[in-house]
Amino acid sequence: YRDGDEMIELDPNPGEASGYARALNNDGYLLVTGSDSLWRARVTNDAGVVYETGDRTQLWTEYCSSYDLNEAGDACWAVAGSSPVYGYRWVDGDANGEVDPGETTELLSPWGGNRTAAQGINLLGQVCGYAKNLLGKSRGFLWTDENTNNVAEVSEFVELTTDYPAANIFPHCVNDFGQ
């Protein structure tokens, strides 16, 4: 849908019967997940023209819960349906629209649990989400790749929920100020 136009049906991911869209940025990129893959698709160009099928980047090849897309087109998500579940971040470092080696970061739980979900990404590439601790509680986090090596080190995670140790906390978004 765009400024009063009719709804436009988008084709599902190649080879899939269905899919759903989760995030759209101002440049017309959409995060789309299907039964066994995750794609970033350009749905409109600067003139608002709907994308052509070839303008897609496959980010992952398993079933994912897609979560967020920033204004640069970088994405974060969680692989769903498996145990353990981990979050991921992709930053298109060379801006070629392809997933190249070293551009995807796996976010393991810094507190020893078996689940991490990346929920939001800002323009700085910071990711917020939650991770289980050893007691099974979900703790909110903000992760910043402080040394820009695309490796999620425990020291780079900031726990957002220290005031409520018994609560499960699920942050979903982070602004460009890291809030």
Side-chain angles (χ1 to χ4, degrees), residues 19-145:
Y20 67 92
R22 188 64 179 248
L24 175 68
N25 72 11
N26 289 329
D27 285 336
Y29 283 100
L30 183 68
L31 209 54
V32 182
T33 190
S35 59
D36 62 359
S37 62
L38 177 67
W39 296 78
R40 184 188 73 167
R42 182 79 183 254
V43 293
T44 61
N45 63 18
D46 294 335
V49 177
V50 175
Y51 79 97
E52 298 185 17
T53 305
D55 197 1
R56 300 177 189 216
T57 301
Q58 186 171 18
L59 302 178
W60 202 255
T61 58
E62 297 174 68
Y63 176 70
C64 297
S65 299
S66 57
Y67 282 108
D68 201 16
L69 187 67
N70 68 15
E71 291 305 314
D74 305 326
C76 68
W77 67 90
V79 174
S82 64
S83 184
V85 175
Y86 294 128
Y88 293 85
R89 178 193 77 159
W90 173 67
V91 173
D92 192 8
D94 56 7
N96 67 354
E98 298 176 9
V99 178
D100 298 314
E103 291 182 340
T104 303
T105 304
E106 183 176 47
L107 304 174
L108 303 177
S109 175
W111 302 293
N114 67 350
R115 182 178 181 90
T116 306
Q119 303 274 77
I121 186 169
N122 66 15
L123 195 53
L124 302 173
Q126 294 174 306
V127 174
C128 75
Y130 66 91
K132 296 264 187 184
N133 63 19
L134 290 174
L135 300 174
K137 295 292 183 187
S138 295
R139 312 308 297 153
F141 70 79
L142 177 67
W143 174 73
T144 304
D145 190 10

